[in-house]
Amino acid sequence: ADGHWLLRRPKHVASINATATFDEGRGSIFIGAKYNGPTKDVAFDAMFNSSRVKLDGYWVVDAAANYAINEHVEVFGRIENLFDEHYQEVFGFGSVGFGVFGGLRLRI
């Protein structure tokens, strides 16, 4: 309200997502990108003195897919941080890197 830039709150954020289905809806592919602009944070030294720091903005891209083999079995997977972007949301704490997850869903 007073016009100051809040800590850990970027002035600009954006996201774009797209999903496509195929094989008469049995499968889908998703890709999404999110942007987080530069942010300000507080850094502390060994004596707990604080100083303001600026964290760089970043883009993170995620992707996912799934396919229903039949009415009871579906395979799925996702990739988080597709391009292994290194960024910080909080000063001094790194981000999660590239990750791949997958599985099998059974409907009984």
Side-chain angles (χ1 to χ4, degrees):
D2 62 4
H4 287 92
W5 191 357
L6 297 174
L7 293 178
R8 300 183 189 148
R9 301 290 193 277
K11 286 186 178 182
H12 303 286
V13 295
S15 66
I16 186 166
N17 300 299
T19 301
T21 59
F22 59 93
D23 198 10
E24 298 177 356
R26 290 178 65 184
S28 68
I29 298 172
F30 164 85
I31 189 159
K34 57 188 171 189
Y35 171 73
N36 199 64
T39 60
K40 292 187 179 180
D41 203 353
V42 176
F44 295 93
D45 65 18
M47 299 303 294
F48 297 102
N49 297 308
S50 65
S51 62
R52 292 264 176 137
V53 293
K54 183 178 178 183
L55 304 178
D56 294 333
Y58 58 88
W59 280 94
V60 175
V61 177
D62 299 324
N66 66 297
Y67 187 77
I69 296 170
N70 58 43
E71 64 184 56
H72 299 289
V73 181
E74 179 181 6
V75 294
F76 63 90
R78 77 177 188 273
I79 299 173
E80 295 181 356
N81 198 355
L82 181 63
F83 300 111
D84 199 22
E85 179 72 16
H86 297 278
Y87 61 94
Q88 294 182 73
E89 294 179 310
V90 177
F91 183 77
F93 291 84
S95 60
V96 176
F98 175 83
V100 177
F101 307 88
L104 188 66
R105 186 172 294 125
L106 302 173
R107 292 183 183 93
I108 301 174

